Amino acid sequence: MTALRGLWPEAQDICTSLGLMLLLVLFMGLARVVTRQQLHGFMMAHTFVLEFLATFQLCCCTHELQLLSEQEPAHRTWPLSLIYFFSLVHGLTLVGTSSNPCGVMMQMLLGGMSPETGAIRLLAQLIGAMCSRYCISALWSLGLTKYHLNERTFVCRNPIQVDLPKAVITEAICSFIFHSALLHFQEIRTKLRIHLLAALITFLVYAGGSLTGAVFNPALALSLHFKCFDEAFLRFFIVYWLAPSLGILLMILMFSFFLPWLYNNHTINKKE
């Protein structure tokens, strides 16, 4: 009984954090419904607000998830389970948005999005990422759990545990794999696709999380590590902005140019 009483405050803090994230998802969902009703005739404003809300939701929840994952739970699979669950939640609720500048860049390079729409989405993502920091700071200042410390948002918690080349390779590979899956899972049923992408995100975080945090999202990296960008901008710019973009470029070159060229050469050789 004494042991249970000792565990109860810990469980209460975890439940409070989870409740905050679910409430945030609910409020963002209501905001999206209102946006679709009120701004359906204003395409650019509609696109901007939806992308802003999606990025805001993703960043705020990831801040809280990162906080929970650092509390050394009894089971090591607990943080991964939370990542999988909230990846599912985001996949179900953020349909039609990317919340990732790399996703926007991929669509623009493949001709699926105009430069104007891409610029609007990128601007919304950056503003959403920055606003999420202030929202999280305000929430943590309330002291709802013992982990919520307002000072945490003003400290650089460097997640890069390897040298620069390895960090760049890690983020580039994560971006390459994730966006390759995103591109080629389009034909799969929505419910199955969301589970597959959530499992893939969980695996990438498991594989690369101890090296760079496996963020592969420039807007999310800016929200999570803004103070680090301020203190070591070039290093973080290369790892969290350039490396994921490089992964996208390599993915497009491979699937749009190299593999078709290889297939055509093989076909020609067979005919000869």
Side-chain angles (χ1 to χ4, degrees):
M1 183 65 71
T2 304
L4 288 175
R5 285 177 181 173
L7 288 173
W8 172 242
E10 190 85 14
Q12 198 172 25
D13 286 339
I14 291 173
C15 289
T16 301
S17 287
L18 293 175
L20 280 175
M21 285 188 279
L22 292 174
L23 277 175
L24 180 71
V25 171
L26 178 61
F27 283 132
M28 292 301 102
L30 291 173
R32 280 190 290 274
V33 171
V34 173
T35 299
R36 291 190 177 100
Q37 290 176 348
Q38 301 298 323
L39 297 178
H40 64 276
F42 306 92
M43 198 61 197
M44 286 302 181
H46 178 266
T47 300
F48 178 89
V49 175
L50 288 182
E51 197 66 48
F52 169 84
L53 293 173
T55 308
F56 183 85
Q57 174 182 314
L58 175 66
C59 292
C60 285
C61 288
T62 307
H63 274 283
E64 199 69 34
L65 279 175
Q66 189 179 59
L67 186 67
L68 285 175
S69 68
E70 293 174 1
Q71 305 314 316
E72 298 183 3
H75 302 285
R76 294 182 181 179
T77 57
W78 170 242
L80 295 176
S81 300
L82 287 178
I83 291 168
Y84 178 78
F85 173 74
F86 277 95
S87 295
L88 283 180
V89 171
H90 296 319
L92 289 168
T93 58
L94 305 183
V95 177
T97 58
S98 64
S99 313
N100 188 337
C102 290
V104 173
M105 186 174 75
M106 180 181 74
Q107 293 182 57
M108 290 173 65
L109 290 174
L110 292 173
M113 184 182 295
S114 68
E116 295 80 9
T117 303
I120 288 291
R121 286 179 180 266
L122 289 173
L123 180 63
Q125 288 168 359
L126 292 177
I127 295 175
M130 294 308 300
C131 287
S132 68
R133 284 185 57 81
Y134 294 106
C135 176
I136 283 295
S137 180
L139 281 175
W140 287 354
S141 67
L142 299 176
L144 298 176
T145 76
K146 67 180 181 181
Y147 309 126
H148 286 172
L149 301 173
N150 189 35
E151 297 79 11
R152 178 189 168 89
T153 58
F154 300 104
V155 176
C156 172
R157 306 174 70 86
N158 191 345
I160 303 175
Q161 304 300 317
V162 292
D163 56 30
L164 185 61
K166 290 180 181 177
V168 168
I169 291 170
T170 300
E171 287 294 315
I173 289 175
C174 287
S175 183
F176 180 96
I177 293 173
F178 175 72
H179 287 94
S180 297
L182 202 62
L183 184 64
H184 292 89
F185 285 0
Q186 295 301 317
E187 303 301 321
I188 300 176
R189 288 198 327 268
T190 302
K191 290 182 179 179
L192 178 58
R193 182 173 71 245
I194 290 171
H195 280 277
L196 289 174
L197 289 173
L200 179 60
I201 290 170
T202 306
F203 168 75
L204 291 175
V205 172
Y206 172 75
S210 61
L211 304 177
T212 63
V215 182
F216 52 92
N217 182 335
L220 179 59
L222 184 65
S223 180
L224 293 176
H225 308 300
F226 179 76
K227 190 63 178 175
C228 297
F229 275 91
D230 184 42
E231 294 178 4
F233 177 79
L234 185 60
R235 180 178 175 85
F236 278 76
F237 176 78
I238 292 172
V239 173
Y240 292 114
W241 288 5
L242 288 187
S245 301
L246 177 63
I248 290 290
L249 291 174
L250 290 175
M251 184 268 292
I252 291 174
L253 287 173
M254 175 172 284
F255 290 109
S256 297
F257 298 100
F258 178 70
L259 290 182
W261 172 81
L262 198 64
Y263 174 77
N264 290 336
N265 272 7
H266 179 69
T267 304
I268 291 169
N269 289 337
K270 283 185 70 176
K271 287 180 179 178
E272 291 177 352

